[in-house]
Amino acid sequence: DIQMTQSPSSLSASVGDRVTMTCRASQSISTYLNWYQQRPGKAPELLIYAASSLRSGVPSRFSGSGSGTDFTLTISSLQPEDFATYYCQQTYTAPPITFGQGTRLDIK
Amino acid sequence: EVQLLESGGGLVQPGGSLRLSCAASGFTLSTYATSWVRQAPGKGLEWVSGISGSGDSTYYADSVKGRFTLSRDNSKNTLYLQMHSLRAEDTAVYYCAKDHTYNYATSGYYSDYWGQGTLVTVSS
């Protein structure tokens, strides 16, 4: 199975900051990489699919990039509602599907 | 509007069984693949099982293979996860999700709608 590793596991930032988090695959997955946001006590929500395609309705301050094994999620100007945990997911292969372990974004 | 409503969670003893349901509305289960993803307390997301839109193909994580069975009732537009031989490590919130693909044959699918989850606790 393809392993997904996210870094950092947690980070602290302030409203208005620009933040970047990374996701690395154990083998090349082209651009078959999705990002999800999960707020405390809530279900995950899709943010970005195919590495860089923003889901309809997701604010443009979110962006994704990368291909092969290395990917990034960037939030250009943090808003209070962005403090959450972010997961990457690879869908290069048929299931089993794998997620990264998550990056928790806290308020500094 | 797409909605997924899970039910059936609860407290069960180790070795016991439980059946989770996921009632879908706003789309037809036979036109999209759907999956179950779980989250143990304080932990990350773990994909558990998926079923193709045709219903012909089911997939399982190694951690549940042979113990869990995924099925569907098209007449009720409802997904079921039958869980047997439950272990403490199966304790988690279980989410069902609609996958933006028919049969997982093409790379690049994603889960575009999620239910709110149902809690399964395995404990004596």
Side-chain angles (χ1 to χ4, degrees):
Chain A
D1 297 353
I2 299 174
Q3 306 304 314
M4 308 301 294
T5 304
Q6 292 184 241
S7 61
S9 56
S10 65
L11 74 119
S12 296
S14 301
V15 172
D17 284 354
R18 177 186 179 89
V19 299
T20 297
M21 59 192 74
T22 67
C23 177
R24 176 166 289 176
S26 60
Q27 67 181 74
S28 178
I29 57 170
S30 185
T31 58
Y32 300 121
L33 189 282
N34 308 314
W35 289 98
Y36 297 87
Q37 177 193 65
Q38 186 180 33
R39 297 188 176 103
K42 301 296 185 181
E45 296 182 352
L46 176 69
L47 289 178
I48 288 171
Y49 61 96
S52 61
S53 296
L54 201 64
R55 182 187 188 175
S56 176
V58 173
S60 59
R61 63 181 179 272
F62 291 91
S63 63
S65 64
S67 65
T69 60
D70 294 316
F71 302 86
T72 61
L73 174 68
T74 299
I75 310 172
S76 60
S77 178
L78 275 173
Q79 299 302 300
E81 61 269 27
D82 300 338
F83 292 95
T85 301
Y86 293 84
Y87 294 94
C88 63
Q89 175 202 49
Q90 70 81 19
T91 56
Y92 177 69
T93 59
I97 299 163
T98 44
F99 290 91
Q101 80 279 18
T103 292
R104 192 178 76 181
L105 178 54
D106 293 327
I107 299 175
K108 185 184 290 184
Chain B
E1 180 189 7
V2 172
Q3 290 189 335
L4 297 158
L5 183 62
E6 302 96 335
S7 61
L11 175 64
V12 61
Q13 292 188 337
S17 299
L18 207 57
R19 189 180 79 159
L20 305 184
S21 301
C22 174
S25 58
F27 76 104
T28 303
L29 286 177
S30 59
T31 58
Y32 287 96
T34 45
S35 55
W36 288 91
V37 175
R38 69 184 180 184
Q39 186 170 39
K43 302 298 183 182
L45 302 174
E46 179 189 15
W47 179 88
V48 172
S49 183
I51 185 168
S52 62
S54 65
D56 292 345
S57 299
T58 52
Y59 304 84
Y60 299 94
D62 287 345
S63 58
V64 307
K65 199 173 293 182
R67 300 187 299 123
F68 290 13
T69 302
L70 183 54
S71 62
R72 195 173 73 198
D73 185 335
N74 289 341
S75 67
K76 295 182 179 180
N77 213 33
T78 299
L79 194 66
Y80 301 103
L81 185 66
Q82 179 68 55
M83 306 184 293
H84 294 296
S85 303
L86 283 162
R87 307 166 180 166
E89 54 265 36
D90 296 318
T91 294
V93 173
Y94 284 72
Y95 297 100
C96 67
K98 169 185 169 291
D99 294 325
H100 195 72
T101 183
Y102 180 66
N103 59 6
Y104 301 115
T106 304
S107 299
Y109 47 91
Y110 48 85
S111 298
D112 52 0
Y113 293 93
W114 297 66
Q116 286 307 298
T118 187
L119 175 63
V120 173
T121 303
V122 184
S123 174
S124 55

